[in-house]
Amino acid sequence: MRRAENWIFAPETARRLAGVRIGLCLLLAYRLAVRDYDAFAARHVRFLPHFYMDVFPHMPSPGLASVLQALGIAAALLAAFGLALRITLPVAFVCALILDGILNSAGRVLVRDALLMLSLILIIAAGRAAGDAWAVRAPNRTGVGARYGWPIRTAMLVIALAYFFAAFQKWRYSGFAWVTSDNLRWILYAQPHPNGLALFVADRPLLAHLLAAGALLLETCFPLILFVPALRWLLIPAAVSMHVAIQIALRLDYSAQWLTLVIVFVNWPVVVDWVRRTLAPVPTPRESAR
Amino acid sequence: MLEAPRYARPFVVVFVGMLVVCALAPLNLWPFSNWELFSRLRDPVVNSWVAVVSAHDVRVRDLPIGPHTGCNAFLRSVTARFGPATGVRIYRVERLLPDGDESHPALPYRTLVVACAPRGARASS
């Protein structure tokens, strides 16, 4: 227990937390911008409120959805710049929560943005620390400490557990038959109009079994990413590939999930320093001699 | 070295605890999901539910609906959308998946589940 606590509350830099804040806020703004919430609210007159959406007596109106969308995008962008974080971040989060609630209250609950929203809760909980660097009108501290480490590391733990629990539920409800049966083939065939990739895999039972085994192994082993940092080079690209393949074959968009994974696990100050070094002009021999 | 705030430790315990409880219970308190993504086995028969709505001036066929759609709630929503509905018939449609033979797809088979009318529902025998 002490080791787990030491891991979560290990020091990180203010710049790393700021990098995660900027990435998650830009991703949230993008997710809010690309979806047509008002059309969805207008189309789905049947309102099956999920969880907190019980506070609404009926499906929120298209007008309200449009206002929340605009407000959410503006607040998320301001939060990415680090402006008035204690207001902009919660406003962006609440707008997204209601808009996701609209999508989740038409009969089917979508997991897709859940990891993004959970990670945003942690950035909100970090308070002013999230705006200590890489922000307009910020102290631009080069601080280091657990103050910046715990939100990032808790987000890492949450992401690793999310993938693990996705595997855990497959073991729980289906067992090894999830791999050995024709389950994956039926998932691919069951679409209204399966595309070429879906049919290519579904028509080849051995390939379908191999891909099912790979996906289950990846999700089951995902928590290793926390203990063996070198495995991040293997497991993160594998998870991204899995989500992209699902997007192509099943047309299910899990980009919010895999982008959250990348944003939280990449050490952005290292990337920025590397880019600066790479792009910095090389001094000519005459300048070097001065 | 800057320390974590005092609330951070209990916050992490509650936050991660919520994640674990929702997965194990399972509870879907979004965004605390139960993570039951494709966790149950599929078989080669796909069931879907459709409604055929009769109103005064329109007849809408095969409106996709969920398996647990209740008569009264559905009648209310179709009345709001199409005007006063005179009747709604809900069918279960079974479709056998092709198993690599897309050239001879099996025809879907439909069974009447319930006929809804403003006076009340009548279950299929």
Side-chain angles (χ1 to χ4, degrees):
Chain A
M1 208 61 189
R2 174 62 62 181
R3 281 184 69 186
E5 188 182 345
N6 288 344
W7 183 86
I8 289 174
F9 290 91
E12 293 282 359
T13 64
R15 293 202 312 159
R16 182 157 190 192
L17 180 59
V20 174
R21 180 202 84 227
I22 293 167
L24 293 178
C25 289
L26 290 179
L27 177 58
L28 181 66
Y30 167 74
R31 294 293 289 175
L32 291 176
V34 294
R35 285 185 291 198
D36 210 352
Y37 296 98
D38 52 350
F40 188 92
R43 204 168 53 239
H44 288 81
V45 285
R46 200 161 52 90
F47 183 54
L48 301 167
H50 174 68
F51 184 31
Y52 56 86
M53 289 300 282
D54 269 333
V55 298
F56 292 94
H58 48 75
M59 183 67 94
S61 68
L64 177 62
S66 295
V67 170
L68 289 172
Q69 188 177 18
L71 184 62
I73 294 168
L77 289 175
L78 289 174
F81 284 106
L83 282 165
L85 273 184
R86 299 184 87 172
I87 297 167
T88 52
L89 254 181
V91 167
F93 179 82
V94 170
C95 290
L97 201 64
I98 297 171
L99 292 169
D100 282 321
I102 290 174
L103 302 184
N104 288 338
S105 297
R108 203 156 59 103
V109 180
L110 307 169
V111 174
R112 301 167 195 180
D113 287 40
L115 270 187
L116 168 62
M117 296 296 278
L118 290 173
S119 301
L120 278 168
I121 293 174
L122 292 164
I123 300 299
I124 293 169
R128 287 190 179 138
D132 277 357
W134 287 351
V136 178
R137 284 189 284 168
N140 245 336
R141 284 187 195 160
T142 51
V144 178
R147 171 181 163 87
Y148 307 110
W150 75 270
I152 300 173
R153 284 163 175 262
T154 309
M156 287 177 173
L157 178 63
V158 165
I159 290 169
L161 284 176
Y163 278 94
F164 174 76
F165 282 129
F168 174 82
Q169 305 296 30
K170 292 180 180 85
W171 288 111
R172 179 191 213 173
Y173 293 115
S174 304
F176 205 57
W178 202 86
V179 173
T180 55
S181 72
D182 283 329
N183 174 57
L184 181 58
R185 298 179 64 217
W186 302 137
I187 290 172
L188 293 164
Y189 279 135
Q191 304 171 78
H193 305 287
N195 63 19
L197 179 64
L199 291 176
F200 181 84
V201 175
D203 289 346
R204 291 162 179 78
L206 183 62
L207 179 60
H209 292 314
L210 281 174
L211 290 175
L216 192 56
L217 182 70
L218 171 65
E219 289 180 342
T220 306
C221 297
F222 210 82
L224 290 176
I225 204 170
L226 301 175
F227 313 114
V228 189
L231 276 177
R232 290 173 192 178
W233 292 99
L234 174 69
L235 296 184
I236 292 175
V240 172
S241 306
M242 179 178 76
H243 288 303
V244 171
I246 288 172
Q247 180 146 13
I248 297 170
L250 289 168
R251 301 181 187 92
L252 296 177
D253 177 14
Y254 281 94
S255 56
Q257 183 158 325
W258 68 258
L259 283 168
T260 301
L261 165 71
V262 171
I263 288 165
V264 170
F265 275 89
V266 168
N267 192 335
W268 293 104
V270 171
V271 174
V272 168
D273 292 344
W274 177 81
V275 170
R276 274 189 187 148
R277 274 200 312 274
T278 308
L279 297 181
V282 179
T284 59
R286 185 178 292 177
E287 285 172 331
S288 305
R290 279 179 194 163
Chain B
M1 289 282 270
L2 296 157
E3 291 301 314
R6 281 171 59 187
Y7 63 80
R9 278 172 174 78
F11 181 88
V12 170
V13 170
V14 171
F15 192 79
V16 176
M18 274 284 286
L19 189 85
V20 173
V21 167
C22 285
L24 296 182
L27 292 168
N28 205 351
L29 305 179
W30 203 93
F32 290 91
S33 171
N34 54 20
W35 309 107
E36 291 184 0
L37 302 153
F38 296 102
S39 58
R40 287 171 173 82
L41 289 179
R42 303 288 178 97
D43 60 34
V45 178
V46 175
N47 288 307
S48 59
W49 282 260
V50 295
V52 177
V53 179
S54 308
H56 284 299
D57 298 327
V58 290
R59 184 173 167 83
V60 185
R61 288 189 64 85
D62 293 1
L63 205 62
I65 55 171
H68 306 297
T69 303
C71 268
N72 290 338
F74 190 67
L75 272 170
R76 273 198 302 276
S77 65
V78 295
T79 300
R81 193 162 165 184
F82 303 112
T86 54
V88 171
R89 294 162 79 83
I90 294 177
Y91 293 89
R92 189 178 77 213
V93 181
E94 289 181 330
R95 187 165 63 95
L96 190 65
L97 295 173
D99 194 11
D101 184 13
E102 289 85 34
S103 56
H104 299 97
L107 289 173
Y109 180 79
R110 48 170 73 201
T111 316
L112 179 65
V113 179
V114 65
C116 312
R119 291 178 302 281
R122 185 163 49 81
S124 164
S125 57

